[in-house]
Amino acid sequence: MTTVAQAQPNIALIKYWGKRDHSQNLPAVSSLSVTLQSLWTRMSVEFRDNDGPDTLLVNDAQAPAMLARVSHCLDLVAGPVRPRADVISHSNFPIGAGLASSASAFAALVIAAEGECGGSRNLLDLARIAGASSGSAARSLYGGFVVLTARQDEIDVQTVCESSEWPLEVVVAITEEGPKPVGSGEAMIRGEKTSPFYSSWIERQDDDLTAARDAVLARDFAKLGAIAEHNCLKMHSVMWSSRPPIVYWNSATLSSMETIRALQADGLPVFFTIDAGPQVKAVCLPEAADAVTVALRQTRGVLNTMRSSLGPGARKMEVV
Ligand code: DP6
């Protein structure tokens, strides 16, 4: 039997950056994200009878660097004494490039593995397992606007507003397609150890989260944009002030931010956010999405744009 699941990446508007506990991969801060609709990762998991190692194909290629994390995640779902698995992953967007591909991958993986071993855990338990593999993956189990609350020894995750209740659009400006130079896990550790801004980043996070959640509940786009941009730039300030510094941006990242600033000056409802990579995500009200897409496509250095509305959480798919 093979079990297939699909998950979409999520884009954090209030960022997760920093870990409270490294061995359990517990985030040091709470976060708020939106789950996308049209970017996806599909994972198939098949437990087999014979021995040998787990196997992993990512977009038709072996992925040895990812295999250990996938095997560990399968252990968390099915227990360490489990049959070996053949895992196949396909994504319809660039992976490892700051587009939250590990979020959609591990969210889809836990759903597929749980189905494959006949488990009946609830969504929160599966989100906690996904989060142990990749912190942001816990959010992709849920749809719409998602809050992840970081507690002392566990996380809570919930949808605070369905995508249908506030149907924002996200336009992603792809400025580079290669993998990022430093993975986010390693970069977070460097920030915690060396950035002079790290402690104030952690201290102010709950205030930012409260402001953003209130803005979502009030459907206050201007307020959400202001706090999301502020929180994003603070996270990048921690990265930039790490030693050695981590700068994920390129010149097209900055040009895209300028484009969005110009659109804002013209009165368009749009704001930017940027994760651990050079891509710029423009979040906007639906009526602005065409103009935002055209403007970003015309921005120097932008290779491509991808557009998505907000969508549902990870789910099992019918195998035909
Ligand atoms: C910048 O979830 O990739 O996208 O837990 O080490 O796998 P690990 O980190 P990961 O970090 C995501 C960082 C971010 C911000 C966010 O998504 O909240």
Side-chain angles (χ1 to χ4, degrees):
M1 199 183 97
T2 301
T3 308
V4 183
Q6 172 171 321
Q8 286 78 239
N10 66 78
I11 305 297
L13 306 183
I14 299 296
K15 308 291 187 185
Y16 148 49
W17 196 251
K19 298 176 199 262
R20 186 190 307 275
D21 180 301
H22 292 275
S23 63
Q24 297 180 72
N25 204 43
L26 280 174
V29 286
S30 300
S31 53
L32 184 151
S33 61
V34 286
T35 302
L36 301 183
Q37 166 83 281
S38 50
L39 281 62
W40 49 254
T41 298
R42 289 183 188 145
M43 274 281 174
S44 90
V45 175
E46 180 167 13
F47 286 131
R48 51 167 212 272
D49 295 334
N50 56 342
D51 286 344
D54 293 328
T55 66
L56 173 65
L57 284 180
V58 176
N59 291 342
D60 300 320
Q62 307 278 349
M66 177 92 168
L67 180 59
R69 287 176 77 189
V70 165
S71 292
H72 176 65
C73 183
L74 292 170
D75 290 348
L76 295 176
V77 176
V81 189
R82 59 169 171 84
R84 296 300 96 187
D86 296 324
V87 179
I88 299 174
S89 168
H90 280 287
S91 296
N92 70 343
F93 62 96
I95 56 174
L99 284 171
S101 56
S102 66
S104 51
F106 284 103
L109 183 65
V110 293
I111 296 278
E114 178 79 352
E116 183 68 2
C117 67
S120 58
R121 289 184 180 91
N122 65 31
L123 200 57
L124 180 58
D125 285 341
L126 290 172
R128 286 176 173 153
I129 292 177
S133 293
S134 185
S136 55
R139 299 186 309 239
S140 273
L141 272 291
Y142 294 76
F145 295 77
V146 179
V147 168
L148 184 153
T149 308
R151 302 200 195 287
Q152 202 53 39
D153 49 12
E154 65 182 10
I155 56 165
D156 278 320
V157 195
Q158 64 180 139
T159 294
V160 293
C161 174
E162 299 289 346
S163 51
S164 56
E165 294 175 307
W166 202 18
L168 303 185
E169 294 272 320
V170 179
V171 182
V172 183
I174 310 280
T175 66
E176 217 172 286
E177 291 201 329
K180 53 191 164 200
V182 187
S184 38
E186 186 189 332
M188 282 183 210
I189 293 171
R190 199 185 295 175
E192 179 190 334
K193 287 193 178 143
T194 65
S195 169
F197 302 153
Y198 185 78
S199 56
S200 59
W201 157 254
I202 301 287
E203 274 162 30
R204 306 300 293 272
Q205 185 76 351
D206 281 349
D207 292 346
D208 288 5
L209 184 78
T210 302
R213 192 204 325 244
D214 288 351
V216 170
L217 297 179
R219 316 282 190 269
D220 186 334
F221 187 83
K223 191 173 164 199
L224 181 63
I227 193 68
E229 288 189 352
H230 173 68
N231 189 265
C232 163
L233 293 174
K234 269 198 303 194
M235 178 185 74
H236 284 274
S237 304
V238 173
M239 297 170 179
W240 283 40
S241 57
S242 297
R243 292 186 174 181
I246 299 158
V247 178
Y248 286 113
W249 301 359
N250 58 32
S251 56
T253 311
L254 279 163
S255 299
S256 299
M257 289 163 76
E258 272 173 27
T259 296
I260 291 166
R261 286 272 184 256
L263 292 169
Q264 288 171 338
D266 286 346
L268 262 82
V270 58
F271 65 85
F272 68 79
T273 190
I274 306 163
D275 291 299
Q279 332 300 359
V280 176
K281 289 105 184 193
V283 182
C284 59
L285 293 179
E287 62 267 26
D290 284 344
V292 170
T293 304
V294 168
L296 284 172
R297 280 216 180 129
Q298 288 169 351
T299 298
R300 187 151 38 100
V302 170
L303 306 174
N304 193 3
T305 56
M306 299 179 92
R307 180 167 156 183
S308 179
S309 45
L310 308 190
R315 62 222 173 268
K316 222 162 103 173
M317 296 180 78
E318 294 304 320
V319 180
V320 282

